[in-house]
Amino acid sequence: MKKRHLSDITSDFLKSEEYFRLSSQSKENARALVKGIGDTAEYTGHGDYTKWDADFIAPFTLGLIKNLSDETQYSLEWFNMTYEILKAVLKFLARTKQVKISAVMMDNLLQLIESQTLFEETDGFILEPEYQDPYLPQWTPHVADDISTYVSQWLKLYEESSAWNKRPKGVDKGMIEILMKLMTESAYNVYRKTPKTWTKFVICEVMRNQFVEKLDLSVDEYKLIVPAMSSMLDYLGERALLNSKKVESYKRYLAAGEADMLEAAKDPGNYGASKLIYQEMQRRGLDIDNRAEVEKFIQEVNDNGGIDSLLPKEIVDKHNFTEEEMRFVLNHPEHLDSIIDRFSVGLEEIADEHISVHNNHRWSRKQFD
């Protein structure tokens, strides 16, 4: 029986959906690189691609990445092009069932390989919080970076998949990325829960609090949150990137938290300082990228009495301490440090962070009941 070489698939590969997704330069070099990759596999004693399995593909791909990155004669452009074609070929072989690994497992394997190399720059979007609840497990950069890596990859895979074309109308890449990253960051920083351990309480609390505090969305856009996130969760479940039972549970939790989120979003007193400042600057037509304008506006807000000056008086009164709440605080001094921490961020710090990081945390008795 003739021993098969990777170049045997060239004609079929050049007609495939994986080929048509390649960059124009990769398409021009695909024929030569498919042969080159096949020759490299042949040299290792694994020239017959029909016998490739995860035990061969993983070390072969990692070795190829390492050799390309170590050899100074290869430019970054050539490195990216070679890997792009290798990835497309492997996906094609898995989809057409010409290797001993399924399409789902191939996607997961490639995701794992990329997470273990510096091939793709990962957006480390989970930053260490200023306030850390001493009763929660310790916040660690290792866990935060790990979560950032695989959630960023989930988003990339979803946005490049056919499922993306079936997303709810009105949802774009910016929206789904903000939603997933804010849910992920808040769940870990506030509750120490990863995307694989979210609970109903955590999902609903993030929706009612952080989504309302931080997201500058219209009513219709808030109503898109549940279908947008549910659609992505469906994709993660279908591709076995997230347990299918968890996917169904998370979708129920999102639906359960929607009403409270929509109700909270009606009250500007629930908005964070960043959001209130941003909205007011937009209303006045100020340029948020102009530092001088931002600083002048921040000083004006300070001179007028702070963030509350941006809210109607009835909303300020609603969210201020009542006499009963003040007595409760004074009679429970053990909570004072926590309250001080939550109110410690000044408007000057918000301006320094380009009005994007800190929130206006408002105390309520239920936080301590």
Side-chain angles (χ1 to χ4, degrees), residues 44-188:
T44 68
H46 295 82
D48 188 346
Y49 64 87
T50 63
K51 296 181 179 178
W52 290 0
D53 57 15
D55 289 339
F56 166 72
I57 292 170
F60 177 73
T61 304
L62 286 167
L64 191 64
I65 290 172
K66 185 177 187 303
N67 289 336
L68 285 170
S69 59
D70 286 349
E71 293 293 333
T72 56
Q73 74 232 44
Y74 296 116
S75 66
L76 179 61
E77 183 178 43
W78 185 261
F79 174 90
N80 288 337
M81 187 167 56
T82 303
Y83 182 76
E84 184 184 13
I85 291 171
L86 172 61
K87 187 174 179 179
V89 166
L90 291 173
K91 284 175 172 283
F92 166 73
L93 291 173
R95 180 177 62 80
T96 55
K97 300 180 180 178
Q98 298 186 66
V99 288
K100 296 182 175 182
I101 181 172
S102 70
V104 170
M105 290 302 296
M106 182 67 80
D107 281 347
N108 291 346
L109 181 63
L110 290 170
Q111 180 187 17
L112 178 62
I113 288 169
E114 289 170 4
S115 71
Q116 298 302 314
T117 68
L118 297 179
F119 179 72
E120 286 192 348
E121 183 179 351
T122 299
D123 174 15
F125 59 84
I126 302 181
L127 304 179
E128 185 171 2
E130 291 185 1
Y131 170 77
Q132 296 195 32
D133 190 330
Y135 297 103
L136 289 175
Q138 184 178 1
W139 188 98
T140 64
H142 169 73
V143 174
D145 289 345
D146 183 52
I147 297 170
S148 291
T149 296
Y150 67 73
V151 169
S152 294
Q153 289 169 350
W154 284 355
L155 285 162
K156 185 174 186 295
L157 289 169
Y158 176 49
E159 291 166 1
E160 293 177 352
S161 72
S162 58
W164 177 247
N165 298 324
K166 300 173 185 177
R167 69 191 184 277
K169 187 177 180 181
V171 177
D172 58 19
K173 290 183 179 181
M175 182 177 190
I176 192 62
E177 288 176 8
I178 287 172
L179 293 176
M180 281 298 293
K181 289 180 178 181
L182 182 53
M183 175 64 77
T184 301
E185 180 184 38
S186 301
Y188 182 61

Side-chain angles (χ1 to χ4, degrees), residues 184-227:
T184 301
E185 180 184 38
S186 301
Y188 182 61
N189 281 359
V190 181
Y191 304 102
R192 300 295 185 273
K193 292 294 184 181
T194 74
K196 297 174 183 179
T197 62
W198 289 342
T199 64
K200 181 178 181 180
F201 173 78
V202 167
I203 288 176
C204 292
E205 284 293 291
V206 171
M207 291 173 71
R208 185 172 63 85
N209 293 308
Q210 283 79 16
F211 277 14
V212 173
E213 289 176 5
K214 296 187 176 186
L215 299 179
D216 183 31
L217 303 177
S218 67
V219 174
D220 288 340
E221 287 171 330
Y222 268 112
K223 290 179 179 178
L224 273 176
I225 287 177
V226 173

Side-chain angles (χ1 to χ4, degrees), residues 284 297-310 347:
R284 297 190 189 187
F297 176 71
I298 294 294
Q299 186 58 53
E300 179 187 332
V301 173
N302 272 325
D303 292 344
N304 290 338
I307 288 294
D308 284 348
S309 65
L310 301 179
L347 288 173

